[in-house]
Amino acid sequence: MEAIYRDYHPKGVKFFYIYKTLAHPGNNGYVSPFDHEERLRHVTEIKEKLGSDIPWLCDNMSNDFKHAMGNAPNSEFIIDPKGKIVRSRSWCSPSELREDLAELVGEVKPETAEAQVGMSPLDPPKTAATGIVPRLKLEGRMTALEVVSRQNGGEPFFAKLRVEADESLLKQGDGQLYLGLFLDPLYEVHWNNHVGAPEVEITVRQTEVTPDRLRGPAVEEPSDADPREFLVAVKNGQPGETIFDITVKYVACDDKETFCKPVTQEYQVKLARDADGGSRRDAMPRSPNGRRARQPQMQDLNLQRARTMFHRMDMNRDGVIQKQEARGPLQWADLDEDGEVTREEWREFMRRR
Amino acid sequence: MRIQIRYAFQYLVFFALFTTSVLAQPGNRNRASFQVPKVGGALPEVSLWDQQGQPFLTKTLKEHYTVLVFGCLT
């Protein structure tokens, strides 16, 4: 993307990354922001770490733009000078974007190669030690629930609550409720295990929650940044209606050791799917295309592999693999025997394998 | 006449199957509310923030070709 930006920005094309809700909270250690200031801090973090030149726009906290544009996690659009959408892809594809821009604005020769851009990979944020408190092993599909955090005393949410339900709870009202307290690396804090474990209290009407008072494990290590996770059983919940009032108490200590203070924070959690809640990759095995709760399908794998291999071999990005670009004999994929392999031929070849 | 009745019956079976198997799924209702805007349509007008935290209106994205790519930290 950065290479395309370098080629087309000088030709007057504007580029923006759109920051949206986290698709996979917990990946790289990042936690879903609770307010727009935290989102903007994520944007700053991405720009600094990646060294990207492309400017960012940040979606509002209602996620209006993500919803209006189809709610996909990594979609891509081209807007023409009249403000009309002229290209739309549900998953971004740099090679196809380059083809589109060549058609709309004109070809750029020579193209900037990815290697010339020299971007650094996104490293996880620095946190206190992790891997000390074992993670909960969850069975089956878990779905993020709608969580509303209540501002209490103006303290930031150093630790953020994520709540998920299994399918049975979400659909029938009886099942398992997952609660995870994740330290937000933006605040550079840790659990001080000598001053007490975090506590969670759940209050709900006409619904049984067992247990309804939870306490994090006793940990020998003086500090760590692992999530504190709990699983409770819920009976007689009303899908779409039941509201859990949850109070979380913990002591937040910053890594620079300038403060250590008790914090009490409150949440309201509705027994309803949060369409913007994303999915934790550590929650269960995932398929390579990022979708949850289904086994990888050969068709998906082959299509993805075909796309990646084609992109790697098509060195000059002209949408065709020529003899000199191929890393082996071409004749198996060259269906019309013209000495070149087009994208369609390659896809067909991979499908037949 | 018999052919017309047969077509009508096939239509009813198709309609019943379609409505019960597709529209009855809650997931599909969710997807329907988040439809991708059509190519050729106007970019939806939404208020965002720029990276400096200033309000940014999508309706100002005119006079140039603009590439928009959704992404996040994870």
Side-chain angles (χ1 to χ4, degrees):
Chain A
M1 184 62 69
E2 296 286 329
I4 300 172
Y5 172 78
R6 289 200 188 176
D7 290 343
Y8 282 94
H9 181 61
K11 289 174 88 73
V13 179
K14 289 190 169 184
F15 289 73
F16 292 100
Y17 285 128
I18 312 292
Y19 179 92
K20 44 162 268 301
T21 50
L22 299 190
H24 305 295
N27 267 21
N28 284 334
Y30 288 101
V31 179
S32 292
F34 277 6
D35 59 37
H36 83 275
E37 284 176 15
E38 290 179 344
R39 282 192 176 187
L40 289 168
R41 287 177 70 177
H42 272 191
V43 167
T44 308
E45 183 113 347
I46 305 173
K47 280 193 71 72
E48 279 176 5
K49 286 194 166 177
L50 287 178
S52 161
D53 289 328
I54 298 176
W56 283 76
L57 296 172
C58 189
D59 200 358
N60 58 43
M61 291 308 291
S62 309
N63 305 305
D64 290 335
F65 200 40
K66 175 177 169 249
H67 297 167
M69 300 303 279
N71 209 37
N74 194 207
S75 52
E76 177 177 84
F77 302 88
I78 303 180
I79 316 303
D80 77 0
K82 290 179 181 169
K84 304 259 185 231
I85 298 165
V86 288
R87 296 289 188 279
S88 163
R89 259 184 291 280
S90 59
W91 197 263
C92 82
S93 163
S95 58
E96 289 174 71
L97 175 63
R98 191 177 273 284
E99 284 170 18
D100 288 339
L101 290 174
E103 192 184 327
L104 295 166
V105 185
E107 269 191 89
V108 172
K109 293 283 178 190
E111 292 173 3
T112 303
E114 281 176 39
Q116 289 174 269
V117 177
M119 287 178 67
S120 40
L122 191 64
D123 293 326
K126 283 180 188 168
T127 58
T130 53
I132 292 163
V133 178
R135 301 294 304 273
L136 268 188
K137 298 280 180 210
L138 301 174
E139 287 176 13
R141 181 191 172 118
M142 301 296 284
T143 303
L145 299 188
E146 290 179 12
V147 176
V148 177
S149 55
R150 287 185 185 162
Q151 193 51 260
N152 188 1
E155 290 291 357
F157 284 80
F158 301 107
K160 292 183 165 66
L161 181 69
R162 180 176 173 85
V163 185
E164 297 175 357
D166 68 9
E167 281 201 37
S168 165
L169 176 57
L170 201 61
K171 288 180 180 167
Q172 280 109 39
D174 297 331
Q176 288 192 308
L177 188 73
Y178 163 91
L179 300 103
L181 268 179
F182 292 80
L183 288 175
D184 191 335
L186 288 178
Y187 296 105
E188 298 177 349
V189 288
H190 57 263
W191 305 116
N192 181 336
N193 297 321
H194 290 163
V195 297
E199 293 173 16
V200 177
E201 191 179 322
I202 307 167
T203 312
V204 59
R205 284 182 188 173
Q206 295 170 337
T207 300
E208 282 178 48
V209 176
T210 317
D212 58 357
R213 284 167 190 262
L214 308 152
R215 191 178 169 85
V219 182
E220 280 185 22
E221 289 284 325
S223 65
D224 73 278
D226 284 318
R228 299 299 190 255
E229 298 175 298
F230 310 94
L231 211 51
V232 298
V234 177
K235 273 186 185 175
N236 304 326
Q238 294 296 315
E241 290 180 21
T242 297
I243 302 282
F244 302 92
D245 287 300
I246 300 178
T247 305
V248 177
K249 294 179 181 175
Y250 59 95
V251 178
C253 300
D254 75 329
D255 295 344
K256 291 175 187 159
E257 300 190 348
T258 60
F259 69 80
C260 229
K261 51 186 163 189
V263 180
T264 299
Q265 283 162 336
E266 293 176 351
Y267 297 86
Q268 272 200 336
V269 177
K270 191 174 182 182
L271 186 50
R273 175 179 172 259
D274 179 0
D276 298 310
S279 56
R280 290 181 302 117
R281 282 190 186 275
D282 53 16
M284 62 181 301
R286 304 182 63 89
S287 64
N289 63 7
R291 293 197 180 113
R292 190 156 69 149
R294 76 183 171 106
Q295 292 298 311
Q297 291 177 4
M298 282 315 291
Q299 204 182 344
D300 297 336
L301 289 172
N302 283 343
L303 204 62
Q304 197 177 354
R305 201 177 296 146
R307 212 177 281 157
T308 310
M309 286 171 77
F310 189 93
H311 188 71
R312 276 191 198 144
M313 283 196 275
D314 182 19
M315 304 289 277
N316 61 2
R317 302 284 180 265
D318 63 354
V320 173
I321 304 170
Q322 282 129 355
K323 253 185 190 168
Q324 60 272 24
E325 293 174 318
R327 294 171 191 168
L330 260 186
Q331 70 268 24
W332 305 111
D334 184 12
L335 301 177
D336 62 0
E337 299 178 353
D338 66 348
E340 296 177 333
V341 174
T342 62
R343 206 181 293 276
E344 288 67 35
E345 284 176 319
W346 183 254
R347 209 175 289 151
E348 185 56 31
F349 167 64
M350 290 295 284
R351 194 175 290 136
R352 287 182 189 179
R353 283 175 71 195
Chain B
M1 183 65 178
R2 188 178 291 171
I3 291 170
Q4 281 178 339
I5 290 170
R6 202 175 75 191
Y7 280 143
F9 179 72
Q10 282 177 350
Y11 173 78
L12 281 173
V13 169
F14 173 77
F15 183 75
L17 285 173
F18 177 78
T19 50
T20 50
S21 65
V22 179
L23 297 182
Q25 294 172 20
N28 285 329
R29 282 203 297 272
N30 284 341
R31 275 180 219 134
S33 62
F34 296 134
Q35 280 179 350
V36 183
K38 286 179 182 164
V39 169
L43 181 68
E45 292 188 10
V46 178
S47 178
L48 311 173
W49 296 291
D50 67 16
Q51 59 194 30
Q52 282 80 35
Q54 298 301 312
F56 183 98
L57 301 173
T58 55
K59 68 179 177 188
T60 61
L61 292 173
K62 286 179 182 168
E63 297 174 13
H64 301 270
Y65 277 102
T66 305
V67 174
L68 301 174
V69 181
F70 280 79
C72 62
L73 270 169
T74 62

